[in-house]
Amino acid sequence: MRVVPWVLATSLVLALPLHALAAPLQAVQRPTTIPDAAMTRASQLREQALASNLGYEITESLTTEVGARLAGSEADARAVQWAQAKFKELGYDKVWLEEVRFPKWERRSEHAAVLGAHAQRLSILALGGSPGGTVEAEVVRFADLASLEAAPAGSLAGKIAFVDHTMARARDGAGYGMGSRVRSRGPSAAIRAGAAAFLMRSAGTDSHRNPHTGITRFDEGLTPVPSAALSLPDADQLARLVARGPVRVRVELDCGWNGEALSHNVVGEITGARKGGKADEVVLIGGHLDSWDPGTGAIDDGAGVGLTMAAGALIGQMKQRPARTIRVVAFANEEQGLYGGKAYAAKHLGAIRKHQLAAESDFGAGRIYAFRSGAPDYAQGAVTQIAEALAPLGIAHTPTEGGPGPDISPFAAQGMAWATLRQDGSDYFDYHHTPDDTLDKIEPKALAQNVAAYAVFAYLAASADGDFGSEAKPVSPPSE
Amino acid sequence: MRVVPWVLATSLVLALPLHALAAPLQAVQRPTTIPDAAMTRASQLREQALASNLGYEITESLTTEVGARLAGSEADARAVQWAQAKFKELGYDKVWLEEVRFPKWERRSEHAAVLGAHAQRLSILALGGSPGGTVEAEVVRFADLASLEAAPAGSLAGKIAFVDHTMARARDGAGYGMGSRVRSRGPSAAIRAGAAAFLMRSAGTDSHRNPHTGITRFDEGLTPVPSAALSLPDADQLARLVARGPVRVRVELDCGWNGEALSHNVVGEITGARKGGKADEVVLIGGHLDSWDPGTGAIDDGAGVGLTMAAGALIGQMKQRPARTIRVVAFANEEQGLYGGKAYAAKHLGAIRKHQLAAESDFGAGRIYAFRSGAPDYAQGAVTQIAEALAPLGIAHTPTEGGPGPDISPFAAQGMAWATLRQDGSDYFDYHHTPDDTLDKIEPKALAQNVAAYAVFAYLAASADGDFGSEAKPVSPPSE
């Protein structure tokens, strides 16, 4: 398929009018702006949201009443029911479900132990997508992924590969790039070298006996092997033991793929003002409803669901609705491959221009410290106005940092305008994908700041005169 | 049996000489003092210990090579072998084992789950001493132990009692008084009210999904019921669910008593100087060798064993030995009822006067901040000299705070002189008795400070002119 790069295609179209040659490109499109009255109302909304506990209450409800909700599980179906009921309870005008289908992976149990003279248990979690199986073999440690990838074919025959990469802590989660790469590419690299199983130091920044799970994949043509993550103290322990001499370990996983599952994106709308005729356009915010199974999915991503539901509800309670509709989406199965986000993009591609601007929260509930939008230049005046309304929340306008959230990224890749509200993720990877992802890790006041930011953002985007550039692009969606 | 209170008995004896009536009581005994030369050498020893990593290396060896070592388990036997070998490797002059027998308790597995509309797993650990069994029943929450104890007989028939007491954080671990009382008395109180099982919020100060185990007991005449601790986030969760309406929970424990076990106190000695004729007297320091099974027993009590072994070894390396022998004891089975400490007291009662002074480390590896000794007044001059030598380590002399460590307390109750070096336990109960009690929780420099303190203490006590008052008292040991 021939792909026209987006920047080039846009330039060609914009270049057509002759007067554009003498003026900045964005001048061909009337600049998008936000009326003063809306800016004033956004300030009030911001203060009201800061004083509200609604985001926390919704997150508490989801994580307590449903708890863990692995995509495709019985609890996932309960979460869908919960979201539908919660939208209605919060006064959303329209609430509906959209089907999402995906392969179902199940975790039943996992055990690991050092054998022999230093016999002891190791704390592990199977990686999502791993097959089950029991392997007893010697462990070969690799300091990083590159070392494993450099292992000659057959060199790990009958062994367990152990990648001991230590993920770095960072406010923006930058260390997760390599951390998650070890998880997604390590198993295939291990198999290519002949390994019978794969272990990794969890992609995390904590020091607790709670391993970090997460999805892995096996390259085509390879026979998957049992793959699991050790907690960080267990990785330390295994590294110390390996340094003392040969170590045999037993890895026992009972897990695997089991047919197809049906879940749903759950959508709630606060309809735009009747006057103005823009209620068919939407500002989309949301998070994902599924979680990994060991914790209760509080920071990942109960908070994202709770805070965007709350932001929409607070806008719904305003005397004067914004012109456009606020659409809140609780996406299905983000964790195993953005199934909900891809299904949404596929279903709504024809309405891409009706999607004014979108932002997803999927990075916990730390205070938001930065904002940007990938909107075209002609809309950056309005983006700057939104940034001004966010500034009292301690949020900086950082025009070049960050991209769209995971579930909106398939649609953003097809041309939907997006923004990002960046949470402080300094401690996000202490809990992410572990049993420790529970409600107590959320600071209610920080969550209220998040609600305020999303409410202000959504309200102003829905009140703008002009658009943020959503338009179908002739490019293929990135393969996630 | 008739028991003469110790204070009264002592007063009677001391009152006998007539001149004592006009002078302070301690004047009847020559004051114990420490020679200046010993004080000087103690300063050198202190600096040498501070610069040494030996305590950490020993603790690393135990927690890595043996790992968890539940009293009576195969790993416990390996720990005994490890301690014996390590004493020899460290150059101890004499090393031997002393038998300790006790009932053997085994943990095999434990599971708990909320049933019904809010179905989800709960993270629990069986309490030591709990029987196995599966119970499905409604949960009744009690805010504290007193509320459960006030529940009328039969009022909890067929229910699960849940005590939700929150333990307070404190440098000296004061909150553990009530925390451990819930654990030791809660199950019996639950049974008296008719409960079929007992759950408690862990006696801990953390916020992780790692429950705190620990021994419990059942009062005579009661039929034990399955008893377990919830992690703190799980206790939060259960409390939130109970607040919403009736909650049924399934508790499944596979654990219980299984015959008698044999383990050993492991003793190592640095023999006192040949000259002086006091080498048959000992200064006793130590920790306990056993641990709970979920962690690797690093702070409880690998550190205590490692730091006292190191302190003795450093004294052994001095050019000039102290007059008395340094005896280091790695006690067996402290966790389930001070079996090692009681066996030691029973075996060595006849030699109580040969025990110059004793101190045990069993409160982690936080920096030592306070020192005291329960020695009689005539020895407090020497105690003050020891305190002066400890002061550069940031250790205060607190003449009224704290008592003897657990394993020496049975012997101390019978009259052995004791001292205490109090560790900062602010974070001790974040990890105590959990899977999270692992080596990474120990700060090597803090551990070196501990080694320095114990080395200085033991060296000076072993160099004193005069004694610290060990003498068999006509009292029964406290029932632990």
Side-chain angles (χ1 to χ4, degrees):
Chain A
M1 194 172 91
R2 201 168 60 91
V3 172
V4 181
W6 177 74
V7 175
L8 180 60
T10 311
S11 303
L12 289 173
V13 172
L14 294 176
L16 282 181
L18 276 182
H19 66 265
L21 293 174
L25 280 180
Q26 65 267 30
V28 301
Q29 172 94 24
R30 199 161 61 94
T32 303
T33 58
I34 297 169
D36 288 349
M39 291 293 287
T40 302
R41 282 194 288 270
S43 298
Q44 295 160 356
L45 177 63
R46 185 182 64 223
E47 299 310 311
Q48 189 196 344
L50 276 178
S52 164
N53 202 34
L54 186 59
Y56 188 81
E57 286 165 13
I58 300 169
T59 308
E60 198 239 37
S61 171
L62 173 60
T63 58
T64 302
E65 294 159 23
V66 180
R69 44 202 183 278
L70 186 69
S73 68
E74 175 274 337
D76 185 38
R78 270 194 286 130
V80 168
Q81 297 305 310
W82 172 90
Q84 203 173 12
K86 188 60 72 178
F87 273 129
K88 288 176 184 166
E89 180 191 324
L90 290 167
Y92 276 72
D93 301 304
K94 291 185 197 160
V95 183
W96 71 92
L97 305 183
E98 297 180 359
E99 291 193 354
V100 181
R101 291 175 192 277
F102 48 85
K104 180 175 174 180
W105 183 81
E106 292 177 335
R107 181 195 313 276
R108 289 173 290 270
S109 69
E110 53 253 297
H111 300 282
V114 173
L115 306 174
H118 307 309
Q120 54 190 291
R121 278 175 310 201
L122 295 171
S123 183
I124 61 165
L125 279 175
L127 299 183
S130 172
T134 297
V135 174
E136 286 191 16
E138 191 181 325
V139 169
V140 182
R141 176 184 175 273
F142 296 89
D144 51 33
L145 180 61
S147 310
L148 173 59
E149 287 178 334
S155 63
L156 296 179
K159 304 282 174 69
I160 297 172
F162 164 38
V163 177
D164 198 18
H165 168 75
T166 297
M167 179 178 152
R169 186 184 296 277
R171 185 170 70 165
D172 66 356
Y176 190 56
M178 180 51 79
S180 61
R181 208 139 54 229
V182 172
R183 198 180 68 219
S184 57
R185 297 193 193 166
S188 292
I191 296 165
R192 272 191 283 271
F198 173 81
L199 290 175
M200 65 180 283
R201 175 184 289 267
S202 283
T205 51
D206 61 299
S207 59
H208 298 288
R209 294 293 288 288
N210 295 312
H212 298 239
T213 187
I215 197 74
T216 190
R217 283 174 193 76
F218 298 91
D219 292 348
E220 269 194 56
L222 301 179
T223 303
V225 300
S227 299
L230 292 153
S231 86
L232 284 88
D234 288 87
D236 292 343
Q237 184 83 334
L238 188 53
R240 282 191 295 264
L241 285 167
V242 167
R244 281 163 161 83
V247 177
R248 284 182 68 80
V249 162
R250 182 174 60 245
V251 177
E252 261 184 282
L253 307 185
D254 183 7
C255 58
W257 297 106
N258 183 12
E260 195 193 51
L262 168 66
S263 189
H264 297 84
N265 290 333
V266 187
V267 189
E269 279 191 354
I270 301 293
T271 309
R274 218 172 293 177
K275 283 198 287 190
K278 289 180 176 170
D280 64 331
E281 296 177 20
V282 303
V283 172
L284 188 157
I285 56 176
H288 66 84
L289 189 55
D290 69 309
S291 78
W292 282 106
D293 47 332
T296 64
I299 63 163
D300 186 16
D301 185 28
V305 169
L307 75 91
T308 54
M309 275 188 169
L314 292 174
I315 294 172
Q317 291 164 15
M318 294 173 80
K319 274 188 201 154
Q320 196 163 345
R321 290 279 175 92
R324 294 182 186 81
T325 290
I326 309 296
R327 178 177 292 180
V328 179
V329 185
F331 289 96
N333 197 350
E334 184 273 345
E335 293 294 1
Q336 298 172 27
L338 308 184
Y339 287 96
K342 289 174 183 169
Y344 186 91
K347 185 178 177 72
H348 296 278
L349 183 56
I352 196 167
R353 295 188 67 170
K354 295 290 186 188
H355 285 74
Q356 170 83 347
L357 191 56
E360 185 194 14
S361 170
D362 183 23
F363 199 53
R367 282 176 189 273
I368 293 168
Y369 65 94
F371 166 70
R372 80 168 279 219
S373 167
D377 287 357
Y378 69 81
Q380 287 293 333
V383 169
T384 299
Q385 285 181 287
I386 296 174
E388 284 164 11
L390 294 173
L393 296 171
I395 299 171
H397 188 193
T398 53
T400 57
E401 245 184 58
D407 294 298
I408 62 169
S409 65
F411 211 10
Q414 292 182 289
M416 179 176 65
W418 56 269
T420 181
L421 291 144
R422 297 166 69 72
Q423 278 113 348
D424 184 329
S426 297
D427 67 356
Y428 185 66
F429 292 102
D430 290 348
Y431 311 120
H432 176 254
H433 295 189
T434 76
D436 247 348
D437 180 3
T438 48
L439 184 65
D440 52 300
K441 309 311 182 300
I442 294 177
E443 208 239 296
K445 284 202 181 307
L447 191 63
Q449 186 254 17
N450 277 250
V451 173
Y454 268 84
V456 163
F457 160 77
Y459 176 78
L460 291 178
S463 303
D465 288 335
D467 66 75
F468 291 85
S470 290
E471 184 138 27
K473 289 191 296 187
V475 296
S476 57
S479 67
E480 199 285 325
Chain B
M1 194 174 87
R2 201 169 58 92
V3 172
V4 180
W6 177 75
V7 175
L8 180 59
T10 310
S11 303
L12 289 174
V13 171
L14 294 176
L16 282 182
L18 277 181
H19 65 264
L21 295 173
L25 282 180
Q26 66 270 30
V28 302
Q29 173 94 23
R30 197 162 62 94
T32 302
T33 58
I34 297 169
D36 287 349
M39 292 294 285
T40 302
R41 283 194 287 271
S43 299
Q44 294 160 356
L45 177 63
R46 186 182 65 222
E47 299 312 309
Q48 189 196 343
L50 276 178
S52 164
N53 202 34
L54 186 59
Y56 188 82
E57 285 164 14
I58 300 169
T59 309
E60 198 240 37
S61 171
L62 173 59
T63 58
T64 302
E65 294 158 25
V66 180
R69 44 203 182 275
L70 186 68
S73 68
E74 175 273 337
D76 185 37
R78 269 194 286 131
V80 168
Q81 297 306 311
W82 172 90
Q84 204 174 12
K86 188 60 74 177
F87 273 130
K88 289 177 185 167
E89 179 191 325
L90 290 168
Y92 276 72
D93 301 304
K94 292 185 197 162
V95 183
W96 71 91
L97 306 182
E98 296 180 1
E99 291 194 353
V100 182
R101 292 176 191 278
F102 48 85
K104 180 175 174 180
W105 183 81
E106 293 177 334
R107 180 196 312 276
R108 290 173 291 269
S109 69
E110 52 253 300
H111 299 282
V114 173
L115 307 174
H118 307 310
Q120 53 190 291
R121 279 176 308 201
L122 294 171
S123 183
I124 62 165
L125 278 175
L127 299 183
S130 171
T134 298
V135 173
E136 285 191 18
E138 190 181 326
V139 169
V140 181
R141 175 183 176 274
F142 296 90
D144 50 33
L145 180 61
S147 309
L148 172 60
E149 287 177 333
S155 63
L156 296 179
K159 303 281 174 69
I160 298 173
F162 163 38
V163 177
D164 197 17
H165 168 74
T166 298
M167 178 178 153
R169 186 184 296 276
R171 185 170 69 164
D172 66 356
Y176 189 57
M178 181 50 82
S180 61
R181 207 137 57 228
V182 171
R183 198 180 67 220
S184 57
R185 298 193 191 166
S188 292
I191 295 165
R192 272 191 283 272
F198 172 80
L199 291 175
M200 65 180 284
R201 174 184 290 266
S202 282
T205 51
D206 61 298
S207 59
H208 298 288
R209 294 293 287 291
N210 295 314
H212 298 239
T213 186
I215 197 73
T216 190
R217 282 175 193 76
F218 298 91
D219 292 348
E220 269 195 56
L222 301 179
T223 303
V225 300
S227 298
L230 293 153
S231 86
L232 284 89
D234 287 86
D236 292 344
Q237 184 82 334
L238 188 54
R240 282 191 295 266
L241 285 167
V242 166
R244 280 162 161 85
V247 177
R248 284 182 68 79
V249 162
R250 181 174 60 244
V251 177
E252 260 184 283
L253 307 185
D254 182 7
C255 58
W257 296 106
N258 184 11
E260 195 192 50
L262 168 67
S263 189
H264 297 84
N265 290 332
V266 187
V267 188
E269 279 191 353
I270 300 294
T271 309
R274 220 173 288 178
K275 284 197 287 189
K278 289 178 175 170
D280 63 330
E281 296 177 20
V282 303
V283 172
L284 189 158
I285 56 176
H288 66 83
L289 190 55
D290 69 309
S291 78
W292 282 105
D293 47 330
T296 64
I299 62 164
D300 187 15
D301 184 27
V305 169
L307 75 92
T308 55
M309 274 188 169
L314 291 173
I315 294 171
Q317 290 164 17
M318 292 173 81
K319 274 190 203 154
Q320 196 162 347
R321 291 281 175 92
R324 294 182 185 82
T325 290
I326 309 297
R327 180 177 291 179
V328 180
V329 185
F331 290 96
N333 197 351
E334 185 272 346
E335 294 294 0
Q336 298 174 26
L338 309 183
Y339 287 96
K342 288 173 183 169
Y344 185 91
K347 185 178 177 72
H348 296 278
L349 183 57
I352 195 166
R353 295 188 66 172
K354 295 291 186 186
H355 286 72
Q356 169 81 348
L357 191 55
E360 186 194 14
S361 171
D362 183 23
F363 199 52
R367 282 175 189 273
I368 293 169
Y369 66 93
F371 166 71
R372 80 169 280 220
S373 168
D377 287 356
Y378 70 81
Q380 288 293 334
V383 169
T384 300
Q385 285 182 286
I386 296 174
E388 284 164 10
L390 295 173
L393 297 171
I395 298 172
H397 188 193
T398 53
T400 57
E401 246 184 56
D407 293 298
I408 62 168
S409 65
F411 211 10
Q414 293 182 289
M416 179 178 63
W418 56 269
T420 181
L421 292 144
R422 297 166 69 71
Q423 279 113 348
D424 184 329
S426 298
D427 67 356
Y428 185 66
F429 292 102
D430 290 349
Y431 310 120
H432 176 254
H433 295 188
T434 77
D436 248 347
D437 180 3
T438 49
L439 184 65
D440 53 299
K441 309 310 182 301
I442 293 177
E443 206 237 297
K445 284 202 180 308
L447 191 63
Q449 186 254 17
N450 278 248
V451 173
Y454 268 84
V456 162
F457 160 77
Y459 175 78
L460 291 178
S463 304
D465 288 333
D467 65 73
F468 291 85
S470 289
E471 183 138 26
K473 289 190 297 188
V475 295
S476 58
S479 66
E480 197 286 329

